[in-house]
Amino acid sequence: MTKAVLLGLSLFFAVLPPRLNAQELIPNRSVTGVCYAGTKVNKIFIPPPKAASQRAGSKGGGNINVSYTGFSSEAKAAVEYAVNTLESILPEDVKINIKASWTRISTSGVLGNSSITGFAAGWGIDAFEPMAFYPVTVAEKIAGKSLNEDWEADVELVLNSTAKWYLGTDGNTPVTKYDLVTVVIHELCHGLGFFDSMNAENSEGSYGLGSMPVIYDTFVSDLSGKKLTDTTIYPQGSKKLYDALTGGQLYFDGPLTRKYLNGGRARLYAPSTWDAGSSVSHLDELRTLPADGLMTPYIDFGEAIHDPGKLTVSILGDVGWINTRIIHEELKDTEDHLDQVTVRAKILSDTAYNRNSVKLYYSLNGFATSGYIDMSPGTEAGSYSGIIQIPSYNTKMDYYFSVTDDFSRIYRSPSRAEKAPYTFYIGIDTIKPVITHTPPEYFFEKIDTIHLKADVTDNLGIDTVYIEYMINSGLPRFIGMKAGIRDEYAASIALKNEHLAGGDILNYRIIAVDRASVSNTRLFPSAGYNKIKIETLLPVVTAYSTDFSGAGPEFFNSGFEISKPAGFSNYGLHSEHPYRSPDEDYKSLEFSSVLRHPVVFDQSGMIITFREVVLVEPGAEGSVFGFSDFYDYVIIDASKDYGKTWFSLADGYDSRFIPSWETAYNSMIDGQNSAFQGTESMMVEHAFYPRISDKISARDSILIRFRLFSDPYANGWGWAIEDLKITPLVDKIEETPLDEIKLFPNPGNGRPKMIFGSAYNGEPVRIRVFNLYGSCISDEVVTSGDQTIIDLSGNPSGIYLILVYHKGKVEAIKYNLVK
């Protein structure tokens, strides 16, 4: 299902903050690069740059970390080789995280695709072009810091496991295969910023997020050199822009690219039929030299290009990888009486810059009038300073810096200069601190500690941050919050001896005091207290089952209820029908139901079975759980600490889990939503098999939570569950009648045969195999009338669980693989 075009940024831009922090990185949920399989033979090998071979065994270059899903050792080795090549051309201080998936892509002719996971606005990172979005990879390079969490992916890479791959790294690609190294380098170059946001549909051309372009867009020009982002020539949504995008005469025009091409421009791929993910974001196939041919739209049979090429490197340089950064620690407001202030900055550049061009612009009246000084170089390389006279007390000064590099690019800090300058106030301080905090909604009884965090800022500086709290209407108590990185403050409230019970209320508020001579104090909330409700837990059990009739008190629901809707003959756990989705870009909603009985995790493992129907928005074709284009989903979580933290027991899934669900969801689309109503007849048996792992140990008591995640705009009927059973694995297997299924030899060497009895009537069955850690390592549909061989020979020795699904029921068989 096509996701909505992101439009809801107009208010966002109307209140542009002066700087961007990690929390303001805008997530992306669409594919930003596609690599197609060519149909012709192009037997060619372009070896990697010398820096790649010289880098072997050294620490030079950038650092790209890849997390793999579904890769063989041979495919993984090819990816690592490609990654090493890109690392060799990246700056040493760059760290990029890649999430890679080896899976079937059903879209015809696609070898792979990639998606950057987020955008940063140029004004927030002091980029060359403030009014453009930068992909997180280059944005972090420009900002000189990480803009997301260390464990989060910057680029998601999906490779088509069904393609005819050559997995070698020597470039000797057969003319019947596609070179994996080439495709990986190609897709990761998209992730580094070689992509556009242009679109051409219904005779209308457009670009950007909320009409603000990505940085690549700003370099796209027509035959006469006019920029496509010049709205005086090409208005957004116009037929004129559509014609330009599909007219075959587009170019990439940047100063580094022109220098490499001796004043020329790079011809772009702009076919008459618009191809999202390919048009504009590739070089023209026929007009690009072989040595620069990596970023053309098609990779042909036998084609091995292991060097990004100087043209690609030049284009990446234009979008921000060749950058000049002005580093400045903003002057803090002061109550001191000063006659002058010394302002310092440091210049870090990837190229040469004019050392006489470093200037400090300032104003005492909001830039109604202004002045500037040439900054003087200091003793440390790249350091500069300047002195500004202060005319009187209670004075506000606005200022910014500028420097020009050898490509005549003028960099400013802040990049919006006079529109959003640095600000410095000398005088009596009356500004209160600012507190940003999201209160928890609830906790379960028996919780021993509650951790609270807040971001607290002040123009003069923070003196003290503390929490006032009380249990119910008891006496108030106080605990200090400790300062962490950036503006974060945290405190832990010990509750072990409070003997909290269901129905109790924890009341608290955060108090911040600044450093002014006459202190300014802020309360959060400004009146009253935040209230956290303590929810009841029921006794710990070793197994649990319910048909949901009368089970209401046993579940804590938020966005779920136990009910028997019209058309259902049994009670069950139901999400809202339809469930809600946020009508705002980048927002999400979560609905959950927690079983109040903690369940003991048995030493043999645990099996969770239930009947369900899932009608939630399916992700993009071929998308994998955990990737940005896997949209809405349902998932089962667990907690060992009474709900303080949660972890998943298995991957989330959507309507694609059962083909008939996906068909039903897509059969009644109204706008962007599905209007199809779920029925009890659509329910199928589902089994989860979480095993002991680094997150769960034998005899742990865990809370189990059913959760539905909803991203912006599109939604459907939702999720329904009936006949829930949670039992130790051994009990489940011992109770399973296996007269109709024979598996032999067992134990065996990894290729057991399975024969089905007459009850299966030659009908299709689904077979899923789980390893000792609860991961599904095989999932296929077979015909039960045939003798089936289950191939586990590539897996290590150990116990495996084989689940057989047929007509809404599931059978479980233990298999012992011995090598």
Side-chain angles (χ1 to χ4, degrees), residues 36 269 271 273-280 298:
Y36 285 111
Y269 177 64
T273 300
W274 178 258
D275 190 345
S278 189
S279 293
V280 185
Y298 298 95

Side-chain angles (χ1 to χ4, degrees), residues 19-31:
R19 213 76 66 241
L20 183 72
N21 58 40
Q23 287 71 38
E24 290 168 327
L25 188 68
I26 298 172
N28 171 55
R29 295 181 68 81
S30 60
V31 171

Side-chain angles (χ1 to χ4, degrees), residues 46 257 281:
I46 306 295
T257 302
S281 59

